[in-house]
Amino acid sequence: MGLLDELQRLNTTEKGTQFIDPKGQPFAPFPVQEGHASPTSEFEIFRGDLARILYEWARDLSNVDFQVGTTIQEVIFNNNNNDNVKVRLSDGKVHEYDLLVAADGQWSKWNIYHALKSRVICLRPDPDGTIRAAFICMPLNSAQNAAWLAASSSKHDRQTQVELRRTQFGDSGWEAQRILASMGNGPDFISTTSNRTRCSDGLKTA
């Protein structure tokens, strides 16, 4: 496809993943190891950059169809035919494909700090030479859950979202205070929620 050079150019430059203690000392490093399993790939790239690369390469191909704003609502399996898969889209249409790829994931070294109360702080580099921070929290009670849902629904109220993180992570230790202090000044800020889905059954094969 001739895309390797562009993928390497936009590599995040991550050298691995490591867990650190409240004093910033690593205790569980997982460096990139070519040919071996690792939390960090030798081709780390942000989803937006990868999507742009693939789109620009494929947009003029006659046999490629882009469907924007459409999601998969149902995967239809046929136990008598393992050669293809059908999907029902959000517009109600059903399409059949040879291969379905699930790529819905949610992202120097990637430092991960696990604080008490189900909180995680992550730092990772990007190809622009800056550091991106992520604050991740799993609510432990209904009041905390309601606060996070309310803040996330206020998509245009950045101050509310920032203040919630300062309240929830202010006592978590490590570099939390320094990162929280700069959060309000960063040019980019994204707040979102993730949900856990429990499947009652999986794909059964003979």
Side-chain angles (χ1 to χ4, degrees), residues 68 98 121 149 182 186:
V68 180
D98 294 328
I121 302 175
L149 289 176
S182 62

Side-chain angles (χ1 to χ4, degrees), residues 143-181:
Q144 194 178 37
N145 185 64
W148 280 99
L149 289 176
S152 296
S153 65
S154 306
K155 295 186 181 298
H156 302 292
D157 187 359
R158 174 171 175 172
Q159 188 58 36
T160 297
Q161 297 167 351
V162 169
E163 288 303 323
L164 176 62
R165 283 157 179 78
R166 287 175 175 166
T167 300
Q168 299 286 344
F169 285 86
D171 64 344
S172 56
W174 186 48
E175 295 288 345
Q177 287 294 338
R178 179 178 66 85
I179 302 170
L180 288 168

